[in-house]
Amino acid sequence: MVAATRRAASITARLNRLTFNDAAAVRALFSELIGRQVDEGFLLIPPFYTSGGNEIRVGRNVFINQNCTFYDLGGLDIADEVMIAPNVSIITSGHPLDPRERRSVTIGKPISIGKGAWIATGATILGGVTIGDNSVVAAGAVVTKDVPADVVVAGNPATIIRPIVSGA
């Protein structure tokens, strides 16, 4: 885990020196970080932070705005057409509640973000959560449980505030 974190820190340090105008170089470094080629529709605005990178999977036409943090130890799947706003934290890892174990154990739980989802500014998504297709996580929401498709969630903890009706 330490080696993966060092590798990620080295790659993200180079990535974070780039600007919005360096989209091709950002795509190349992000592809190196995750170990898979991202498509031409992928756009990330630095800075970006991650604990490893090699457990991130990204679909087509994904947009990640600036200052996002992805801790991907548990696995992070981002489907096609997902938009992620600034200052979003997606955290797949945590520690036991027992203080005797906290420093020695890291627990990873996967996160899956469905096709067409929008994660708004400052949202936090915690491990073990699935965000359904087309759903919106409102600004500042803290997602601790699965979110079904086609809804808006908000608050801490996030709860459904309304359905999304296409064309409405």
Side-chain angles (χ1 to χ4, degrees), residues 75-154:
L76 172 57
D77 288 307
I78 301 171
D80 297 345
E81 305 291 330
V82 169
M83 298 186 332
I84 300 173
N87 301 310
V88 167
S89 294
I90 301 175
I91 311 297
T92 68
S93 57
H95 299 279
L97 294 177
D98 184 338
R100 294 169 296 182
E101 297 177 358
R102 236 177 256 157
R103 291 193 174 269
S104 61
V105 177
T106 302
I107 301 165
K109 295 180 181 177
I111 293 173
S112 179
I113 301 175
K115 183 176 180 179
W118 171 26
I119 314 302
T121 302
T124 299
I125 302 172
L126 300 180
V129 168
T130 295
I131 307 295
D133 292 352
N134 303 313
S135 284
V136 175
V137 175
V142 178
V143 181
T144 61
K145 296 180 181 170
D146 288 352
V147 174
D150 301 305
V151 298
V152 177
V153 297

Side-chain angles (χ1 to χ4, degrees), residues 39 41-43 58-64 78-82 84:
D39 75 301
F42 176 85
L43 180 61
V58 176
R60 301 184 53 75
N61 202 33
V62 168
F63 173 67
I64 302 169
I78 301 171
D80 297 345
E81 305 291 330
V82 169
I84 300 173

